Amino acid sequence: MTENYIYLPEIIIDSHCHARDFRQSYKTTVMQTLKEAKKGLITISALMPNTDPPIISLEVLSDYSKLIVAAENELDLPRQYVWFGVVDGNLKECEEALRLPFVVGLKIYPKKKKGQSVTTGIIGVTEEETIPEAMRLVKKYGKALAIHCDDPDIILKKGYVIEAEVEYVRKIIRYAQIVPGVKIIICHVSCVESASLILWAQREHHMKIAIELCPHYLWFDSEKTNWNPNFDPVYYKCFNNLRPARHRKYLISLLKLNNRLIIIGSDNAPHTREEKMEKGLGGLPTNHEMVAVICALAKQNKIPDGRVAQLLSYNLSDILEIPVSRKTKKYRLEKMTDDIQYNNGKVLNPWNGSELLFPVKIEG
Ligand SMILES: [Zn+2]
């Protein structure tokens, strides 16, 4: 590995992408999102179900699938994937969805009893029993369960604190112990405590619980590291919250581990400028930057190309059983100050101003 070059896998997979569309097509669309993913060198995206209407029935899944197929054809992309949303009472639909090859697994968002989801979405699980039942279902089909960990009761009392994330991770590990072998992805792990707990469960109990790391927790933190000072802080608001710098540094150190259960997901989650300012919604666009951030951190931290390939493709390919080529391509790394726009500028890009290493294809 030389300073200005990197070998990246032919197929890069993003475990976590919000492509909106339907009634939220004013934020972005499947077509626009996958176009941006492709520009960011992401070949395969697994799309999240907290759309409006949410993907919790086979009818909506089928409608979404049509949008995806149209984008695949237009953009010359391979098959993309979807996470099917779990709510209390739709386990029959979950099972039918899991039989479909492009459904990569189930997604759980926690939700308060008689209330709001912990994110801006409208879907979620309130009944505890639903969690182990969803685990049994995905295990039956060899698929995975992706979980947004943030405890609604703790959030109600104390806000979006670290404890809310960690207690939910602890709960998931407890349930996973009664469904041995179940494959779980803990989405957007943001703090030392959650990551340490998951590593402990992997090590001591051989549990297949993966840590999903997202570019924004590796680059930004609650101490405003790398924030663009010209932008309102709301553009750096996301769920789970950004944490203090020591958490970010710890998460970066995980990139160096030879651990097949650490993956990268963009959690690309665009909202329009107006919504951000008026409603304070949480979520950042990150499609274009995911690979550039990992390249920048790999060079800064002397992480070998082979490890980068595991993080961006092979680990997730194994967990989700998405077959990918193990070939790599050589890229030149170009240091650039980010000025990329999302959805033609409708979505303000909080990465603007960050100096990243963008891979550029070498012709010939
Ligand atoms: Zn998300």
Side-chain angles (χ1 to χ4, degrees):
M1 185 176 73
T2 58
E3 189 55 28
N4 300 316
Y5 294 91
I6 193 163
Y7 287 88
L8 290 173
E10 265 190 340
I11 304 283
I12 290 178
I13 314 174
D14 176 4
S15 56
H16 190 147
C17 177
H18 300 271
R20 314 297 190 198
D21 221 312
F22 290 154
R23 285 200 276 265
Q24 294 178 329
S25 51
Y26 63 91
K27 294 180 200 265
T28 195
T29 59
V30 169
M31 182 75 76
Q32 180 68 17
T33 302
L34 293 181
K35 196 189 282 179
E36 287 162 358
K38 190 177 177 182
K39 281 191 193 153
L41 292 183
I42 296 166
T43 329
I44 293 174
S45 297
L47 304 181
M48 284 295 168
N50 63 337
T51 47
D52 182 12
I55 304 172
I56 54 176
S57 73
L58 294 170
E59 292 74 27
V60 178
L61 178 65
S62 160
D63 290 345
Y64 211 56
S65 167
K66 285 176 194 144
L67 298 172
I68 296 168
V69 170
E72 287 164 358
N73 293 338
E74 169 89 14
L75 302 166
D76 190 24
L77 287 169
R79 196 73 182 103
Q80 307 292 302
Y81 292 83
V82 176
W83 294 97
F84 191 79
V86 184
V87 291
D88 305 304
N90 82 334
L91 289 168
K92 252 182 103 160
E93 286 88 343
C94 287
E95 177 148 23
E96 284 182 52
L98 286 168
R99 293 199 180 106
L100 302 168
F102 72 98
V103 172
V104 85
L106 302 177
K107 171 77 186 261
I108 285 184
Y109 295 89
K111 191 175 176 179
K112 283 196 292 284
K113 288 211 164 126
K114 280 194 243 153
Q116 270 288 312
S117 161
V118 297
T119 69
T120 45
I122 48 177
I123 69 173
V125 164
T126 57
E127 302 296 336
E128 288 271 311
E129 314 84 77
T130 308
I131 300 171
E133 282 174 23
M135 287 180 180
R136 285 188 199 101
L137 265 187
V138 294
K139 187 184 168 188
K140 181 174 169 189
Y141 290 90
K143 297 194 172 179
L145 182 63
I147 307 178
H148 179 119
C149 287
D150 230 1
D151 189 299
D153 296 323
I154 298 177
I155 292 170
L156 192 63
K157 289 187 214 124
K158 303 184 183 174
Y160 289 86
V161 291
I162 284 177
E163 185 191 337
E165 178 180 321
V166 177
E167 282 313 307
Y168 211 87
V169 171
R170 214 185 291 281
K171 181 201 299 234
I172 294 305
I173 292 174
R174 261 198 321 269
Y175 279 123
Q177 277 171 323
I178 57 175
V179 189
V182 62
K183 293 190 284 188
I184 289 173
I185 294 177
I186 304 289
C187 295
H188 38 65
V189 170
S190 75
C191 63
V192 176
E193 293 82 350
S194 298
S196 310
L197 260 177
I198 300 165
L199 291 175
W200 167 84
Q202 292 174 358
R203 197 177 52 237
E204 299 299 323
H205 297 282
H206 307 288
M207 297 173 87
K208 293 182 191 163
I209 305 184
I211 296 176
E212 181 190 70
L213 298 174
C214 305
H216 37 298
Y217 301 99
L218 297 167
W219 197 256
F220 304 123
D221 56 45
S222 62
E223 295 169 29
K224 303 195 174 183
T225 303
N226 294 324
W227 290 23
N228 186 323
N230 300 320
F231 294 164
D232 191 282
V234 75
Y235 291 105
Y236 297 94
K237 180 176 164 185
C238 51
F239 301 115
N240 304 47
N241 271 353
L242 293 177
R243 314 296 188 191
R246 72 177 183 92
H247 296 277
R248 180 177 56 82
K249 288 174 190 160
Y250 177 78
L251 297 179
I252 292 172
S253 78
L254 298 181
L255 300 175
K256 298 181 203 171
L257 298 183
N258 182 17
N259 180 320
R260 306 308 303 270
L261 290 168
I262 297 178
I263 58 167
I264 308 293
S266 73
D267 196 9
N268 179 66
H271 300 288
T272 65
R273 292 165 183 255
E274 295 75 26
E275 284 178 312
K276 272 283 189 188
M277 293 308 290
E278 286 159 22
K279 300 181 192 160
L281 302 184
L284 278 67
T286 46
N287 252 354
H288 276 293
E289 285 78 11
M290 182 178 94
V291 175
V293 168
I294 298 304
C295 288
L297 293 174
K299 292 299 172 182
Q300 278 171 20
N301 294 282
K302 302 194 168 33
I303 297 168
D305 293 0
R307 182 81 68 240
V308 172
Q310 283 182 357
L311 289 164
L312 290 176
S313 178
Y314 307 155
N315 290 358
L316 199 51
S317 152
D318 289 346
I319 296 166
L320 300 182
E321 297 180 19
I322 298 174
V324 298
S325 132
R326 300 275 155 151
K327 283 191 197 137
T328 55
K329 279 191 208 162
K330 190 177 182 183
Y331 292 85
R332 185 166 52 78
L333 287 174
E334 209 167 280
K335 192 181 271 191
M336 283 196 290
T337 304
D338 193 327
D339 62 354
I340 290 165
Q341 295 212 327
Y342 277 89
N343 199 10
N344 306 308
K346 279 189 203 150
V347 173
L348 183 136
N349 183 7
W351 297 92
N352 284 173
S354 281
E355 200 171 73
L356 301 172
L357 289 181
F358 287 87
V360 180
K361 229 182 234 159
I362 299 169
E363 301 301 332

